[in-house]
Amino acid sequence: MAKFIYRMQNILDIKNKMETQAKQHYAMCRLRVDEESEKLDLMFKRKSQLEAEYRKLATGTINVRDLLDGRHAIDYQKEMIKVQMIELRVAEKNFELAAKRLNEAVKERKTQEKLREKAFDNFLMELGEQEKKEIDELVSYRYGQEDKE
């Protein structure tokens, strides 16, 4: 029996590798989004703690210097939260791009696999036709031999 050799197997292999790389990049981007989101959550918690401390300072004996320091700490934390929100948005955009690239890589791999399947089906059809031809020749030969005798 003849062996099936797909002419574009190297392209299919490359598409598989590209899909693997896209999956790894996607996972890294997802991890980055999670990390940035966690940092933002911690910043919000820290801001809440600072505000609670500020309220506590404002209710007891008032020390103006401590109140000013508390207000500056809260303002600084708000600025850090704004910066972190930008970092989170950037990470989310990168994640979306990675998802699109992964989808494209999957589509390209599937396309190549379908082409391989079609080539294999054609191979099987040609093999079947070749076998029919050989059987017909064998039957014709035997029939011809029987007529000679």
Side-chain angles (χ1 to χ4, degrees):
M1 182 168 172
K3 182 179 177 184
F4 174 68
I5 298 173
Y6 182 51
R7 294 180 309 141
M8 298 190 311
Q9 183 64 41
N10 57 347
I11 294 173
L12 180 59
D13 293 341
I14 289 170
K15 297 297 180 186
N16 281 328
K17 288 178 184 176
M18 288 174 63
E19 181 182 356
T20 301
Q21 289 174 349
K23 284 179 182 178
Q24 290 171 346
H25 184 67
Y26 176 84
M28 282 182 11
C29 288
R30 180 74 229 164
L31 184 63
R32 174 76 184 210
V33 167
D34 291 343
E35 289 172 356
E36 297 298 330
S37 180
E38 189 175 318
K39 284 180 188 177
L40 186 61
D41 289 342
L42 289 173
M43 287 180 174
F44 276 118
K45 287 178 185 175
R46 177 69 180 139
K47 181 179 164 246
S48 295
Q49 290 172 350
L50 289 171
E51 288 172 343
E53 289 174 16
Y54 183 77
R55 282 190 294 276
K56 192 185 278 186
L57 286 173
T59 57
T61 55
I62 298 177
N63 183 343
V64 177
R65 187 73 205 150
D66 288 344
L67 286 176
L68 285 174
D69 288 344
R71 176 55 41 204
H72 287 300
I74 291 171
D75 291 341
Y76 177 74
Q77 194 64 30
K78 284 181 182 178
E79 289 299 316
M80 294 303 294
I81 287 173
K82 287 179 186 177
V83 169
Q84 186 59 33
M85 289 176 102
I86 292 170
E87 290 291 323
L88 179 59
R89 273 191 238 125
V90 168
E92 287 172 343
K93 294 274 186 195
N94 288 337
F95 176 69
E96 289 172 9
L97 286 173
K100 286 179 184 177
R101 287 184 186 141
L102 177 59
N103 285 338
E104 287 299 316
V106 169
K107 285 179 189 176
E108 290 175 6
R109 178 192 49 86
K110 285 184 178 181
T111 300
Q112 286 298 319
E113 285 180 348
K114 286 191 189 272
L115 290 173
R116 185 180 189 283
E117 288 173 12
K118 286 182 182 179
F120 184 69
D121 290 343
N122 287 340
F123 170 76
L124 291 177
M125 279 184 19
E126 290 174 6
L127 191 62
E129 289 174 9
Q130 184 179 0
E131 286 176 358
K132 282 183 189 177
K133 203 184 269 187
E134 288 175 5
I135 290 171
D136 286 346
E137 287 176 5
L138 185 60
V139 169
S140 296
Y141 176 75
R142 284 189 180 165
Y143 182 72
Q145 290 296 330
E146 289 176 2
D147 284 345
K148 287 182 182 178
E149 293 176 357

